[in-house]
């Protein structure tokens, strides 16, 4: 899809791009060279050839940042096949307070699943996210990223070369509702014990963990958050394919990620979440408070 994109040319929007496709100019290679016909207008064609050359050079250099600057943000989903191995899919949970501090953050990338927990290893999150050039979220541009940037500070929190927010991509494709609603629409539903769990439950689980040292509550919270991250890989694949279908483009479709590949890792991570010394101290305090004379 990327090499069939013409919306990085000034004055070319969705309608004019479709008109170019309909007239046989289906990719950058099809755009007429100087003196070989007019595709838009003579003046615009000169600019178009320059923009196409810039995009082609950026792609050859694997310069995602430059491509993201050229292509309109609403069309960044088209960058995905070329850079999917550089992607990180992530989601956060917060403490529910006004300042919204992150409690659990899960990342899923080509190396597997990674979990960051407040009071354990949250401080390592910015460096982990900085290692990935393409970020994929659901509503992350308006919630997750602002929360994390406010928490770590703009000087420390990284800025990706490109960010695909699937909330807006799926809406344009007619896939309404929140993440869990869309998961049901594409046949990627969660296991029975996860159905109906929501963001407020995540806050309650965190409070149960911090106030009572309830490690089982933490395990449930982490499992919930892990699904929020790796399910995005499936949704991204489906959304890209549907986007190509919607535009009636003859481009290779992506194999849709099967979550079965990571469910073992989910179980392993949850089982390894043992109590810290602080958790044990909290539990001892709670027990002491419940002692009756």
């Amino acid at each position: 899809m990327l090499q069939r994109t013409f919306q990085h040319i000034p004055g070319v929007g969705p309608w004019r791009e479709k008109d170019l496709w309909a007239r046989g100019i289906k990719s950058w290679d099809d755009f007429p060279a100087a003196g070989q016909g007019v595709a838009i207008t003579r003046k615009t064609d000169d600019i178009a050839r320059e923009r196409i050359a810039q995009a082609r050079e950026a792609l050859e250099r694997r310069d995602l940042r430059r491509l993201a600057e050229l292509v309109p943000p609403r069309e960044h989903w088209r960058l995905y096949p070329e850079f999917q191995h550089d992607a990180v899919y992530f989601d956060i949970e917060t403490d529910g307070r006004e300042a919204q501090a992150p409690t659990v953050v899960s990342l899923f990338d080509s190396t597997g699943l990674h979990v960051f927990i407040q009071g354990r290893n949250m401080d390592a999150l910015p460096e982990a996210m900085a290692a990935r050039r393409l970020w994929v979220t659901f509503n992350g541009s308006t919630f997750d990223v602002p929360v994390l940037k406010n928490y770590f500070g703009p000087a420390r929190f990284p800025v990706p070369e490109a960010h695909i927010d699937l909330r807006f991509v799926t809406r344009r494709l007619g896939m309404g509702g929140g993440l869990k609603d869309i998961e049901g629409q594409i046949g990627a539903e969660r296991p029975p014990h996860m159905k109906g769990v929501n963001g407020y439950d995540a806050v309650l689980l965190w409070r149960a963990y911090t106030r009572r040292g309830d490690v089982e509550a933490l395990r449930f919270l982490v499992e919930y958050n892990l699904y929020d991250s790796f399910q995005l890989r499936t949704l991204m694949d489906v959304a890209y394919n549907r986007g190509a279908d919607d535009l009636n483009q003859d481009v290779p479709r992506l194999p849709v990620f099967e979550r079965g590949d990571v469910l073992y890792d989910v179980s392993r991570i949850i089982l390894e979440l043992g109590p810290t010394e602080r958790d044990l101290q909290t539990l001892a305090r709670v027990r002491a408070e419940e002692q009756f004379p």
Side-chain angles (χ1 to χ4, degrees):
M1 276 303 306
L2 178 58
Q3 296 183 60
R4 294 174 177 241
T5 297
F6 295 103
Q7 291 189 46
H8 61 304
I9 299 168
V12 175
W15 181 87
R16 180 153 286 179
E17 181 180 60
K18 289 178 181 178
D19 179 64
L20 290 170
W21 292 337
R23 291 191 285 116
I25 305 173
K26 296 183 178 181
S27 72
W28 298 341
D29 291 338
D30 297 326
F31 202 89
Q36 295 185 4
V38 177
I40 307 171
T41 67
R42 292 189 184 279
K43 181 177 179 180
T44 302
D45 281 7
D46 289 338
I47 299 173
R49 282 186 281 269
E50 180 181 349
R51 285 298 182 92
I52 290 171
Q54 291 173 2
R56 195 192 303 275
E57 181 184 1
L59 181 57
E60 290 174 354
R61 296 197 317 267
R62 307 289 298 166
D63 189 344
L64 176 57
R65 189 179 302 279
R66 179 55 178 154
L67 287 167
E69 291 171 350
L70 289 168
V71 177
R74 68 177 181 273
E75 304 299 339
H76 281 182
W77 64 273
R78 304 185 187 192
L79 301 168
Y80 178 66
E82 299 287 349
F83 296 94
Q84 59 182 307
H85 297 298
D86 295 306
V88 60
Y89 315 81
F90 70 94
D91 185 80
I92 76 171
E93 309 301 337
T94 68
D95 58 8
R97 299 178 180 178
E98 186 175 355
Q100 295 282 25
T103 56
V104 175
V105 180
S106 294
L107 311 184
F108 179 51
D109 59 21
S110 60
T111 66
L113 293 167
H114 312 274
V115 178
F116 299 84
I117 301 172
Q118 186 64 251
R120 296 195 179 200
N121 63 340
M122 186 64 75
D123 195 54
L125 178 66
E127 287 68 30
M129 295 188 66
R132 293 297 170 180
R133 301 195 290 159
L134 174 62
W135 293 0
V136 180
T137 64
F138 190 95
N139 200 37
S141 61
T142 59
F143 181 72
D144 303 60
V145 171
V147 167
L148 293 173
K149 185 178 292 185
N150 181 65
Y151 179 77
F152 289 104
R156 186 171 176 214
F157 193 68
V159 176
E161 296 182 21
H163 179 179
I164 301 173
D165 191 330
L166 287 171
R167 173 189 172 190
F168 304 104
V169 177
T170 54
R171 181 185 296 175
R172 288 177 59 198
L173 293 170
M175 303 160 70
L179 175 59
K180 297 167 191 65
D181 298 317
I182 297 173
E183 288 172 353
Q185 296 171 31
I186 66 174
E189 292 185 331
R190 304 189 182 202
H193 69 286
M194 282 284 152
K195 290 185 177 180
V197 183
N198 55 42
Y200 182 63
D201 294 322
V203 172
L204 296 179
L205 288 166
W206 179 253
R207 289 176 182 171
Y209 167 62
T210 56
R211 292 175 182 176
R212 301 197 302 272
D214 189 339
V215 175
E216 287 305 312
L218 177 64
R219 287 172 172 161
F220 198 106
L221 173 59
V222 168
E223 182 179 12
Y224 169 75
N225 184 245
L226 282 166
Y227 269 86
D228 279 350
S229 62
F230 69 75
Q231 293 274 79
L232 292 175
R233 167 71 188 276
T234 300
L235 181 55
M236 183 70 248
D237 292 341
V238 170
Y240 175 82
N241 291 342
R242 291 196 182 184
D245 290 343
D246 188 60
L247 294 174
N248 195 30
Q249 290 298 297
D250 183 21
V251 295
R253 300 314 193 249
L254 297 175
V256 177
F257 174 72
E258 292 289 342
R259 66 187 183 190
D261 295 340
V262 299
L263 292 184
Y264 171 80
D265 291 330
V266 171
S267 299
R268 177 183 55 79
I269 289 171
I270 294 169
L271 289 173
E272 289 176 353
L273 279 175
T276 64
E277 183 61 32
R278 180 180 177 183
D279 297 335
L280 295 174
Q281 292 173 0
T282 300
L283 185 57
R285 173 178 55 79
V286 171
R287 285 173 174 168
E289 290 172 354
E290 291 298 322
Q291 295 295 319
F292 292 94

